[in-house]
Structure formats: C-alpha cells, structure tokens
C-alpha cells in the first residue's frame, strides 16, 4: 500500500512540475512608444538613457534623426534603418515561456537581439517578425528554451535592413512571477576601495555587472564572488548569477606610476573635463579625442576607451617635447591580431596622407598587452610635444592607459602639509625646463594667503634642503608667475620641488557706501533703483498737471509726498537741509508708488537719455518752477513735463495736494527779468496791490 501511495504522489509531482515552471506570465515592463520621448539622461557608451512614465529605456544616437516623435500622445515613434535601436532592460533575466509584446507597423521585419551589435546571421538574433506597412498590429513573441535571451535581462529592438522604417506604439514584457531570485550582497570591510553591483538580487542565469571604485592611489586587483564556499567565475567585471545567494568582494592594489613618467593618462571610465576648446583634462592630464568610447570595452572595470576605426584617435598633449630615448607605453587590447597601432604627428585619416610620418607597432595578440615604443633621434616624433594614437583597420583597439617615460632625469613636485586648502601641480613629474601649473583650491570660507616653491636636494648639494637651511639668507625661492588668484606657474628646475601654501579666513568686504547728491533745494530725479528717503530730504511725485486759463498765465503741478524713492518713477526731491549737506547716503528699501500719484505728463528715464517730443512744449525744473526748454534730449536720471494742451503756459508752479504752498526760493532768471513780481502761487503782476507775500527778483518779499 505504501508503495502505491508513493507512486501516486510521485506521479502527481511529475504532473505539477510543468505547471510550476510554466506559470502564466504577467506584465513586468510596459513602455509607451508614442508622443514624447520622456526625460533624457547623460549618454553612456553612445546610448542615451530615458525615463518615460517611470519606465527606463535607452536608445543609441548614431544619427541625429534617430527618432521622430509625434505631436500628440497618439503619435508613434518612428525607427529609421538598421543602425538604430531601442534598448530594454527588465528586472529579471529571461527564461523559457517569457513573452515580449510589441505593437506597431512598418515596411519590413524587425529583429530582437541580445546585444547592441546586431547581425544578419539567423542564429544571432532572438526573434524576427515581419510587420504590415499599412496596418498596426500586436505581435507576441515567446522565449523558447534555446533562445539567445535565456539568462539575460536586456534586449535590443532594431530593423533587419537599412531601408526599413516603422512605427511603434508600445513594448511590453511578460515574465513568470514565481521564478525564484537570489540575493547579491557586498562584503563588509573591503580595503582601499568599494564595490557596487547593478542588482541586489537576480534569478539564476542573469548576467551581473560589478563596478569597482578604488580609493585615491589604488587600482582594482581582482573581484571575488562566492556562493557559500564555492567560487563563482568572474569574467572581467561580470558574472553569471548561480542558483543561490552570493557574496561579492574585491581586492585593490597600490597604483604604481613609474618615477620617470612625465605623462600618464588613464583611458578608463569617464572622459574627465571638457575644456571647451577641443581638449579634455583627466586627472590633470590634457588630451584630444575623436570617435572614442562609442562602444567601450565594458568587460573591464571601469570601461576601457575604444578607438573604433581608422578615423578615431587619441591625441596626447605632453608637458615637454619628446626626445631620443623617451618611451611611449600603451596598455590595452586589440579586437584583431591584424591591428597596428599608429603613433603619428597628425590625426590624418589614412596612412597614405602622411606616408613618411607614421610608426607602426604590431599588436600580435588580442589579449591584454603592453606595447612599448622608443623614440629615436631621427624619429619624426622627436621634438614634438603632442602625438596621436590611431589604428590601421576598421576593427577596434581598447585602451587601458598611455604613459610617456622620459630618458632624462624626471623631477617631482610635492606638497608640504597644508591646512584650510590644497594645491595640485600639473604635471607633478617633469624634466627640467617644463612649465608646471599650480592650482590652488582654498577650503570654503578661506582664501590664499601666501604660496612659494623651493628646490629640494640632499644635504651635500649646493641648494639647501627643505627644512632648517631653507630660510638662510642665501636661499632663492623659485619664481612663480601668477595667472589668476588661484593659478600659478613656474619652470621646473633640475631639482625636486616642494610647494608650500598658507590660507587665511576670507572676510567679505564691507558693502560700498553709495550716496545721492542733491545740490539744490529742488531737483527732479528718476532713480535706477528703489531706496529709502534720507533724513533731510522730502520726495514727491506729480499727481496732476493743471493747464492755465490762457497762454499768458502759469500752470500748476500738484505734488504728492512719498516715503520712498522708487525705481523708474519721475520724482521731485526737496533738500530741506541744503545749508548743511548736499550728500546723502543711500539705503536700499522696498515698496512701490501708487499709480494714481503719478501723472502721465511728468516723464523721466533711469536707463538712458530720452528724446523730447518736437510736437509738444516741454518743461524742466529750474529754481523751483518748471520752465520751457528748447533742448532736444533729456539726460539720464532727469525728468520733464511734456505739455500737449492748447494753452502752453510760460511756466508751471508747484503746490502740494493739501493746498500748502511749497517753499519756493527762486524762479528761473529769464522768467523774472525786468524786476517783475509774482504772487506766491506764481501769477505774474506789474506790482503788488495789497498786503501779502510776493516773489521779486527770486526772493520772498512781505508787503505789510
């Protein structure tokens, strides 16, 4: 009976196993390929990452018209030709039964690859599907047991021919939700660097990429991945996830730079800083580039730069000229044993262009190798301070680093202990006669106080060592040339050099005081900014200009007192303390003038001179009244009345809006010629006829 029961359960298990392995796939990825492209990120190895609706994808940028986005959410993206692709990355690797669902239309067949290269070989792509040119349709592609996508979590969608063109509406991925995933843990206590993985968990068979981040002065030695006590094979910086949790670690070793290296460019990882003049700087080393890293060697960490074909190059800009006996050392890997590295003085496309000016160094292997070339006295590179690295075929050469080793004595620039800032030297190693650039970087809140450079020798030399003898009266410092506040240069002597810098706290300068000069009792002013009214001044706007009853009578302007001097608003300033001061300190303020307090006839400009209208009668303020002017322009900051009425008054007097008479001291001389009299409101008369206050010859007169 027990045997029968065992057989029954064994049969039941065999029946259920396929059900578990082939659970119904569910949607794990959905990208809407219509309307806008989403938010673009920074290019990585020739691919632009995008985020659309929270979904991340990427596309290559080999052509400027790679995608044509529609004008609305319903318009599909258009893929043009075989050279372009869209890259999709899902969380878990593909297994048999997973599905890729695509909706679109086109004039040919699309293909799905497991790599970015693409191929016409039938066994190189996972799927090929013909599309209808006139009608969009949905296509469901099921991953089979021997499909190239098995064990991978990335695919590339592209056309099968350069003449194809088609439109996409969406891309979806359905996967088995019951598939087991395993943990990826980074070990604690990794010395001299850190390690990152591109996932924290994955299904068995997925390719995992590791990134090493060495500490300063170190480089990656080796990765280590273990499943329990068993080692997992690491190929470059990638490994295949086993059916179990893994622990990831790495060892780092000291970075060794030869003592006679005058140029050491790490051609790995990013490109450094774009200087904007066709050159780049990485770790203090300057270079030029063309067609580099469009598909880097990502099997190394960080990725090696790639010279893709004969048109690509790396131009090395040296701190001093090459001389006989110097060595150019190139570390890297060739994709073909037929490649030759070209060291040249120009970046010409073909060898024939400079047939007598190139040097060939055969690689001879596709493994990682170091190639060394020694410059001779007759070499075309001798005397050059720049050379180009190219290659001879349409294959690829991957660069790890480039060094130039000097045959002469190389001296070192080192830094004394510093606080509150630092200094770097470029280059830090050089032969005598090389120009060294010192870059000063103060800490926040500090600035450079003093900087000097001293030669260093042994105690038996003619020049004192850095230390007690350094301050002897006979000691001469190295001459530094100031480029700007934080950049200095000097010429390398035939000695090692030590640089010392001191830093001091940065004190923000006191704000410069500004003043307004009011040299008369009454002035018109249009300010370029808003500020408070200084003590001793009163300010007004003109709220109304009143026309006279006839052209023989004066007009009046009504003043409205304000509590600020406002930017761009024509105003009248009264100096109530003229006998004591004409210079007033400006203090910034906020606020605005009520529009009703500013009439349209009173104009001014704070930004430049203004042309006066030739069809109007214009008035300017002189000695407390507005008098006619024949000027054609008003100066910057000045104001004027533009009168267009029928009765053009001889002048306009001023009153404030509470009917209190302004304290007019004088009138413009031309108005008061022949000893004429005026009432306090500005009405001209032959002579006073009754008691009161009058103005005669520019002075107040009281008739009792």
């Amino acid at each position: 009976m027990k045997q029968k029961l065992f057989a029954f359960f064994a049969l039941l298990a065999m029946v259920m196993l396929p059900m578990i392995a082939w659970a119904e796939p569910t949607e794990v990825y959905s990208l809407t390929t219509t309307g806008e492209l989403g938010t673009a990120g920074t290019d990585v190895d020739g691919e632009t990452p995008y985020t659309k609706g929270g979904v991340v994808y990427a596309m290559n940028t080999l052509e400027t018209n790679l995608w044509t986005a529609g004008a609305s959410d319903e318009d599909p993206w258009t893929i043009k030709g075989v050279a372009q692709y869209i890259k999709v990355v899902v969380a878990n690797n593909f297994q048999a039964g997973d599905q890729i669902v695509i909706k679109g239309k086109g004039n040919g067949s699309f293909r799905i690859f497991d790599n970015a290269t693409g191929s016409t070989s039938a066994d190189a792509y996972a799927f090929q599907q013909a599309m209808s040119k006139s009608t969009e349709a949905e296509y469901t592609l099921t991953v089979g047991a021997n499909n190239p996508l098995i064990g991978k979590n990335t695919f590339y969608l592209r056309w099968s021919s350069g003449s194809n063109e088609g439109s996409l509406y969406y891309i979806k991925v359905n996967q088995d939700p019951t598939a087991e995933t395993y943990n990826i843990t980074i070990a604690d206590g990794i010395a001299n660097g850190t390690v990152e993985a591109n996932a924290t968990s994955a299904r068995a068979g997925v390719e995992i990429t590791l990134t090493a981040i060495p500490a300063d002065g170190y480089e990656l030695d080796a990765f280590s991945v273990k499943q329990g006590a068993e080692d997992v094979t690491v190929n470059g910086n990638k490994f295949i996830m086993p059916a179990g949790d893994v622990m990831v670690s790495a060892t780092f070793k000291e970075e060794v730079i030869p003592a006679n290296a005058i140029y050491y460019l790490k051609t790995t990882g990013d490109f450094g800083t774009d200087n904007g003049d066709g050159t780049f700087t990485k770790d203090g080393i300057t270079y030029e580039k063309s067609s580099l890293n469009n598909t880097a060697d990502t099997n190394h960490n960080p990725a090696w730069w790639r010279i893709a074909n004969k048109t690509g190059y790396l131009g090395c800009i040296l701190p001093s000229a090459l001389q006989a006996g110097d060595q150019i050392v190139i570390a890297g890997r060739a994709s073909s044993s037929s490649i030759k590295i070209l060291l040249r003085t120009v970046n010409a496309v073909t060898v024939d262009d400079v047939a007598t000016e190139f040097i060939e160094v055969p690689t001879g292997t596709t493994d990682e190798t170091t190639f060394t070339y020694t410059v001779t006295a007759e070499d075309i590179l001798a005397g050059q301070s720049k050379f180009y690295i190219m290659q001879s075929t349409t294959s690829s050469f991957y660069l790890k680093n480039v060094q130039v080793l000097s045959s002469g004595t190389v001296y070192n620039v080192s830094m004394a202990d510093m606080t509150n800032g630092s200094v770097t030297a470029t280059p830090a190693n050089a032969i005598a006669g090389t120009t060294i650039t010192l870059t000063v970087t103060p800490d926040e809140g500090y600035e450079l106080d003093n900087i000097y450079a001293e030669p260093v020798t042994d105690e038996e030399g003619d020049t004192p060592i850095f230390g007690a003898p350094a301050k002897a009266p006979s000691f001469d410092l190295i001459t530094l040339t100031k480029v700007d506040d934080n950049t200095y240069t000097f010429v390398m002597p035939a000695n090692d050099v030590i640089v010392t810098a001191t830093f001091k706290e940065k004190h923000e300068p006191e704000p410069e005081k500004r003043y307004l000069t009011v040299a008369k009792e009454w002035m018109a002013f249009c300010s370029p900014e808003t500020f408070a009214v200084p003590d001793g001044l009163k300010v007004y706007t003109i709220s109304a200009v009143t026309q006279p009853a006839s052209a023989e009578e004066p007009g009046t302007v009504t003043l409205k007192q304000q509590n600020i001097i406002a930017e761009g608003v024509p105003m009248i300033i009264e100096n109530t303390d003229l006998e004591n001061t004409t210079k007033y300190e400006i203090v910034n303020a906020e606020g605005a003038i009520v529009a009703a307090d500013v009439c349209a006839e009173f104009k001014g400009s704070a930004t430049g001179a203004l042309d006066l209208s030739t069809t109007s009668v214009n008035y300017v303020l002189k000695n407390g009244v507005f008098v006619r002017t024949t000027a054609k322009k008003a100066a910057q900051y000045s104001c004027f009345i533009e009168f267009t009425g029928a009765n053009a008054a001889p002048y306009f007097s001023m009153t404030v809006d509470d009917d209190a008479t302004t304290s007019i001291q004088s009138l413009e001389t031309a108005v008061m010629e022949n000893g004429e009299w005026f009432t306090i409101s500005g009405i001209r008369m032959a002579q006073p006829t009754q008691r009161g206050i009058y103005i005669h010859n520019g002075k107040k007169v009281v008739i009792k």
Side-chain angles (χ1 to χ4, degrees), residues 230-281:
E230 298 295 323
D231 288 329
V232 177
T233 301
V234 180
N235 181 16
N237 65 325
K238 302 177 187 296
F239 71 93
I240 303 301
M241 189 71 185
D245 296 343
V246 298
M247 181 70 69
V248 175
S249 186
T251 55
F252 296 89
K253 59 185 179 181
E254 284 193 56
E255 185 179 45
V256 178
I257 300 176
N260 62 335
I262 61 172
Y263 186 89
Y264 180 42
L265 176 63
K266 302 175 189 176
T267 49
T268 53
D270 61 41
F271 286 129
T273 302
D274 186 343
N275 299 322
D277 59 357
T279 68
F280 293 77
T281 300

Side-chain angles (χ1 to χ4, degrees), residues 55 107 109-110 131 150 165 174 229 267 371 462 489 533 595 652 679-680:
V55 179
N107 66 345
S109 298
F110 70 85
M131 274 190 173
I150 294 293
E165 181 172 320
N174 301 326
T267 49
F371 309 97
D462 295 330
T489 62
V533 179
F652 284 86
T679 65
I680 196 68

Side-chain angles (χ1 to χ4, degrees), residues 309-313 342 344 346-354 390-392:
N309 48 52
K310 291 191 292 186
T311 62
Y313 63 80
L342 309 178
R344 307 167 70 172
V346 294
N347 59 346
V349 174
T350 66
V351 173
D352 292 338
D353 292 337
V354 283
M390 306 178 73
Q391 57 101 348
S392 61

Side-chain angles (χ1 to χ4, degrees), residues 4-17:
K4 289 183 179 180
L5 285 174
F6 176 79
F8 170 76
F9 285 116
L11 178 61
L12 180 62
M14 292 177 64
V15 172
M16 293 183 66
L17 275 174

Side-chain angles (χ1 to χ4, degrees), residues 37-52 55-59 61:
L37 296 176
T39 302
T42 304
D43 282 12
V44 179
D45 294 346
E47 294 174 350
T48 304
Y50 279 84
T51 303
K52 180 177 170 67
V55 179
V56 178
Y57 72 99
M59 63 185 182
T61 53

Side-chain angles (χ1 to χ4, degrees), residues 28 40 86 191 209 219 222 274 337 397 422 428 502 505 561 572 608 700:
V28 297
I86 183 168
T209 300
E219 61 183 357
D274 186 343
S337 60
F397 184 79
S422 61
T502 57
E505 285 191 67
Q561 188 169 351
I572 303 295
K700 291 179 182 178

